[in-house]
Every structure is written in C-alpha cells, then in structure tokens.
Amino acid sequence: MTDDLARALLDVHRAGAKAASLRAALEGAVAQLRSSLAVPWVLAVVWEPMSPQVRCSVVDGVGEAAATRLLRVAAELPRPGDVPVVVTDSDVEFADLLQEGGARRAAVVPLLDTGSDPFGVVLVAMAQRSLEAAELGEIASTVSAEAVRAVREEQTQRRALYDAATGLPGPLLLDAVVEAADPAHEVALLLVSIDQLQSVSRSFGRATGNEMLRKVAARLLVAGGAGAWSAYRLHRGLGVLTVGPAGTAAAAADTILQAMEAPWVLGRRSVRSTCRIGVAVREAAAVSPDVLIERAEAALDVALARPRAGVVTFGPELTASAHENLVLETLLQAALRSGELRVRYQPQVDVETRAVTGAEALVRWIRPSGMVTPDRFIPAAEATGVIVDIDRWVLHTACLQAKKWADAGRGGLRMACNVSSMTLASPGFAEQVLAELASSGLPPELLEIEITESRSLFEGGECVRELTTLRNRGVHVAIDDFGTGYSNVGRLRELPVDRVKIDQSFVREIAAGDGAAMCSVIVGLAHTLHLDVIAEGVETDEQLGVLSELGCGEFQGYLVSPPVAADEFELLLPA
C-alpha cells in the first residue's frame, strides 16, 4: 500500500468518525478519496437487497444512469463474507456492464452488521486503472467499515429515542415536544393503560402480548388522525400528548376510550379490552415534562384502582392521595410482619332455619393507636399492589381456621375468602389456592372464593380458566357485591360461579322500595341460572323478611353478628 493510499484511508476513517449518518459517512469517504488520490472520480453506492431501489447513493463524476448500471454489477457479484470482490473491464462477465457505467475497475464489499446476511453493499468504481486491484479493495473495505459504523450509530441513537416494540418515540422526544409547545395552548399528557394486556401475555405468550401492544399503538395513531396528537411509549404505558385549545385533552380521552373498545385480532384469537387513562394538564409553562408524567401516572393509579374503565384527571387532591397511599403501603407491609392485621369471621346464616352455614373471612387492621377502617386501607392496598400479599395471607389464615373447626366436629362450615381482581389475575392463582388447601388439609368443598364483578372477570379468558380449575376441584365460587360493578348477564351463565351475593347497598334501601326491586331482580336472575343467593349487610328483621319472601337463601350482617374473632364466632355455633 502506498503512503498516499494509507493517508487517504486514514482520512476516510477520520471523516467517518465524525459522520452522524450513513449518507454523511459515504459523502465524507468520497470527498476524502477524491481529494487525497486525485483520481478522475470515485463512486460509492449502497444497494439494498430485495429491492430495486437505491437506499443511499453518493456519486461523484458519473451520472445517475451510469450509477444504476454499476448497481447491476453489485447485484450480480457473489458476497463471500466481508472480503471485497474486485472486477475489471478485463473480466468478460462484467466488461460490458463496467463500460456502460464508465468504469474500468470496481470493488464491492457487503455491509454486514450483527447478522450474517448483508443489508447492502458498498461499491467503489474508478474510471482508470491508477490503483491496483488490492488497493481498490482496501478502499472499498474502509468505506464499508465506516458505513457500518455509521449505521450502528444511527441504530443506537434510534434505540435511545424510539421504543423497539412499538416504534413510538420515547420520553426524550416527549420532553423536547413539551418544552417546545406553545404556552398559550392547553398541553396535556394522557397516559393509557390497556386492560387485559398482561393477561394476554401470560396466556398466549410474550410475542402475542407485543403484537397486541403494537396494534394498540397503531390504533392510537389512527384514532388521532392527522396531527391531532402525538403518541409515545413511556414507562407506565402509552402516552398521548395533545396541544390545543381548552378541552382538547377531554375530547381526545373520549376518542381513545371508544377506539379501544373494538376487538383485537391476534392470530386466530379475538380479544376484547378496555383502557384506563390518567390525564395531566399543564397549567403553566413552568411545569416540566417530568412533573407532567408524574401527574399523569398519579391519575392513572387512581383509574386503575377503580372497578370500571375510565378517565381520571390529575388534581391537587391526587397529590395528597398518592402521598397517603405511599405511607399506607409502608405501614401495611410492616403490619403484615408484626401481626397488626387480623382476620375476623362473620357468620353466614340460612334465611329459613337461622342455622350458621359458613363464615366470611374479613381482614381488619388494628394499630396501637386504634383501628384503621377497611374503606381507608383496602383502596390503598389495591392502588399499591399490597392487596395481593394481604389476600394470600387471609386465605392461608382462614384455611387453617376452617380446618380446625372441621377437626373439632364443626364440619360443614364453608369458609368464604375475598379475592381482589389483582390477585385473581396474578400468575398461578389457582395453583396457590390448591397449594393452601393441600397444606392446611381443608377439603376443597369447604372453601369459597368471593370475587368482585369486573370487566376482567367477564371478558378475561385467563381469569375464567383459573376459576374453572378451582371449581373443577370442588372449590365454590361466588360473585361479591353483585349489581354494583360491570355486569354482563349474557356472560354470567358461562362463568364458573355457584352463587351471587346481593350488595349491602341494595339491602339498605329495601325499606324505600327501590332496594327491594333490585333484590328481586337479582334473586330472579340467579334462580334462572340455577345459582344460590346470599345477601350481605342485613341489619333488621324487616330486611330479612323481604329477602325471605323473595327467595334469598342465606344472609349475613349485624342482625346476627358483626365480624368477630374465631373464639367469639364459635359461641354462635350450637354446642
């Protein structure tokens, strides 16, 4: 290799190191070679396999038609790894093509990244034989190396800015758009979380889950139309940024909710889902993108804790709520370890005979400073995910207690345990329940799992499969608070359910008439589907009388007993 060629190749390398793109790397290489070697012209092109189009070309001293002819040379050459192939006008097979392109010699090197298949080639051609074939090959190899480096740099930059699974831009680009947004406009971030996405991944595999995520991203972009909003992949979900007059974010949220209701076709499967949306509106230009994301996440947490899909917009009250949830989460974890959580048992009673037929296990939090009411700590436990640990602990404790009663001759008492939708959707739920039964020795027919009606229950295939597994093993299943959440009467007959529980809100209104009508509807529906019925929150003889006339089989409530400790519960049983 001559000194001039060595210097030229070094210049090519230096120019390539500064290049931010493939085209810039090729343009720099051509300019350095022409300047350093003083040859009539140098042609560098990248040809994309499987396509007749030139992906990127840099031409110096030759027309486009001649460049296209030389591409045909590149297309017909073998590609033995990353070894350059040099042809001249002395090669009969390529002489005509070279001459048509105005070249005497050409060297081709495939562009190879991490895979074995080339994603293109670099072709360097010269109109005279001022360089030896080996030297021309060195030039092509150097240009190829800088082209590959530039492509990898572009890929690295793209990975930093765009999500690989969806192709959507990430937080860095969102930051830039928010910073540049007109402060006179309403700037809002909508954080979208898709119900059932995790269950789809668990049930059908990660590839199917990613396919659904890509389709969600595509549907978001289509729903937005031309420039109505921009979409991003963020840590907690898919983000939609709206910039416009007041009310733009609210309209966008309604559009997204409607767009997500259509079924998702995943291979041969059709999956229905809804979504939860947390909205944060920038009230001042001083609000940073990070704060906007944090507020949208806080709003989304509240939306996820609610039984139905919908939209929650951030407000000052959510800041206090998020802080309280964080404090309660820490205290709840400590309470699990220290024994501050207790299980109390409320008797379930036959309406006609007044005999105790079972018990519902209910968790109570008793701190040194006093009792923390369930309506305060249960929502916090659900919002933070601690509810899963609590549900498992209550199930373990209740199964052991039910087994003690059975061994003491109190056989036939059914133990009912509440399970949140988050626990029901957790991986291996049915296996965990069966493991508790095996560990405690409690017969499956003495356990009842109470679940709250929700869309995930009625439309989530994985939840139904988990419950079917339990029911097939003898475990009873009941729907708690029936009539207050997402009800799908058509699907109810398909669920593995043994009975429904009338919510106490309807029982409380029996005297007013409206509650009695609702109770009548629920009892009639249950009997049509051959399901048993139990009412909760019964406090008066009048309420019990109406329920008896309607045909309700069992009840529980303060009319008989509040939730009590195990030893107090035993006093309610016949000697």
Side-chain angles (χ1 to χ4, degrees):
M1 181 187 300
T2 65
D3 291 342
D4 289 342
L5 179 58
R7 282 193 294 271
L9 297 181
L10 180 59
D11 290 339
V12 169
H13 173 71
R14 288 171 175 168
K18 300 177 182 179
S21 66
L22 175 61
R23 176 173 293 278
L26 291 176
E27 288 176 344
V30 167
Q32 291 298 332
L33 289 172
R34 181 183 59 192
S35 173
S36 301
L37 299 178
V39 294
W41 57 265
V42 178
L43 167 70
V45 293
V46 174
W47 168 76
E48 188 173 12
M50 308 301 294
S51 171
Q53 303 298 320
V54 179
R55 180 172 180 266
C56 176
S57 64
V58 179
V59 180
D60 177 55
V62 66
E64 184 176 345
T68 302
R69 295 189 189 99
L70 287 171
L71 280 178
R72 292 170 56 194
V73 175
E76 295 182 15
L77 287 176
R79 298 182 180 83
D82 56 356
V83 178
V85 176
V86 180
V87 295
T88 71
D89 55 4
S90 299
D91 298 320
V92 176
E93 184 178 0
F94 302 105
D96 291 342
L97 283 173
L98 286 172
Q99 290 174 4
E100 288 178 18
R104 300 290 302 279
R105 277 192 177 136
V108 176
V109 179
L111 292 172
L112 299 171
D113 199 1
T114 55
S116 58
D117 295 330
F119 64 85
V121 297
V122 164
L123 183 147
V124 178
M126 302 184 67
Q128 63 181 15
R129 296 189 178 186
S130 58
L131 296 176
E132 298 295 328
E135 293 175 325
L136 190 58
E138 287 285 349
I139 293 175
S141 294
T142 301
V143 174
S144 172
E146 293 308 317
V148 170
R149 186 210 57 76
V151 168
R152 289 175 178 168
E153 180 65 23
E154 286 183 301
Q155 291 173 341
T156 299
Q157 292 177 358
R158 180 172 181 82
R159 281 192 292 268
L161 297 175
Y162 293 87
D163 173 59
T166 62
L168 293 177
L172 291 177
L173 290 179
L174 172 66
D175 291 354
V177 175
V178 172
E179 295 284 4
D182 187 347
H185 285 154
E186 175 192 86
V187 179
L189 176 64
L190 292 74
L191 197 57
V192 182
S193 178
I194 304 300
D195 295 335
Q196 284 80 50
L197 181 59
Q198 289 187 351
S199 63
V200 166
S201 296
R202 287 194 299 267
S203 302
F204 309 123
R206 186 174 181 180
T208 304
N210 285 339
E211 179 188 358
M212 182 175 178
L213 183 61
R214 286 192 292 272
K215 291 191 173 186
V216 171
R219 192 178 291 184
L220 274 179
L221 293 173
V222 171
W229 61 60
S230 52
Y232 303 83
R233 177 68 188 279
L234 305 177
H235 175 66
R236 291 285 305 279
L238 300 179
V240 169
L241 189 71
T242 61
V243 180
T248 299
D254 290 339
T255 300
I256 293 170
L257 285 175
Q258 295 176 12
M260 296 300 119
E261 289 182 351
W264 305 95
V265 179
L266 306 172
R268 296 182 179 180
R269 305 179 183 92
S270 180
V271 177
R272 302 189 70 91
S273 182
T274 53
C275 68
R276 317 296 176 101
I277 304 176
V279 182
V281 179
R282 188 180 73 176
E283 70 279 2
V287 175
S288 70
D290 286 344
V291 171
L292 197 65
I293 293 174
E294 289 174 2
R295 291 178 176 180
E297 289 177 345
L300 180 61
D301 285 337
V302 176
L304 290 172
R306 292 180 176 177
R308 296 187 181 185
V311 182
V312 173
T313 300
F314 179 85
E317 71 282 358
L318 291 189
T319 302
S321 174
H323 176 71
E324 181 180 20
N325 284 346
L326 182 61
V327 172
L328 285 175
E329 177 185 11
T330 303
L331 293 175
L332 277 170
Q333 293 285 10
L336 272 171
R337 297 189 298 268
S338 66
E340 289 182 358
L341 295 185
R342 313 285 175 80
V343 177
R344 296 293 183 256
Y345 304 92
Q346 186 169 42
Q348 297 180 332
V349 181
D350 186 281
V351 169
E352 301 302 327
T353 67
R354 296 293 183 97
V356 176
T357 58
E360 180 181 7
L362 299 165
V363 64
R364 294 294 184 262
W365 186 4
I366 303 174
R367 303 197 68 204
S369 58
M371 178 180 289
V372 183
T373 59
D375 60 351
R376 182 183 174 202
F377 75 83
I378 292 297
E382 291 176 339
T384 59
V386 181
I387 192 66
V388 176
D389 294 331
I390 294 176
D391 284 348
R392 290 172 179 171
W393 175 78
V394 170
L395 176 67
H396 173 76
T397 305
C399 284
L400 290 176
Q401 183 59 61
K403 174 61 174 171
K404 287 181 181 179
W405 285 335
D407 291 345
R410 312 282 190 177
L413 287 179
R414 182 178 55 241
M415 181 67 74
C417 292
N418 290 282
V419 170
S420 68
S421 57
M422 186 178 297
T423 302
L424 177 60
S426 62
F429 168 71
E431 292 181 6
Q432 293 166 7
V433 173
L434 295 175
E436 284 293 348
L437 289 172
S439 174
S440 64
L442 182 68
E445 61 271 16
L446 295 184
L447 176 65
E448 181 175 78
I449 297 297
E450 288 192 4
I451 51 177
T452 302
E453 55 178 340
S454 63
R455 197 177 195 107
S456 61
L457 171 63
F458 283 92
E459 297 185 355
E462 181 64 20
C463 293
V464 173
R465 279 189 289 273
E466 294 287 295
L467 293 174
T468 300
T469 297
L470 292 176
R471 195 160 180 261
N472 288 342
R473 297 291 293 272
V475 177
H476 297 273
V477 179
I479 297 183
D480 195 12
D481 304 332
F482 188 77
T484 63
Y486 176 86
S487 300
N488 186 325
V489 176
R491 285 297 310 277
L492 181 59
R493 67 176 66 249
E494 303 172 13
L495 295 179
V497 174
D498 298 282
R499 66 174 174 173
V500 296
K501 176 177 281 189
I502 301 175
D503 185 67
Q504 60 182 331
S505 62
F506 301 131
V507 174
R508 192 180 303 120
E509 297 298 323
I510 280 180
D514 293 341
M518 190 64 189
C519 290
S520 176
V521 171
I522 294 174
V523 172
L525 173 62
H527 288 172
T528 300
L529 298 177
H530 307 290
L531 300 176
D532 295 331
V533 185
I534 181 172
E536 65 178 353
V538 178
E539 298 180 353
T540 68
D541 288 323
E542 179 187 3
Q543 293 169 345
L544 182 59
V546 172
L547 292 169
S548 178
E549 292 177 3
L550 293 176
C552 178
E554 295 177 60
F555 76 98
Q556 65 186 82
Y558 277 55
L559 182 61
V560 173
S561 172
V564 293
D567 55 350
E568 296 179 67
F569 182 91
E570 293 168 3
L571 298 176
L572 301 171
L573 302 175

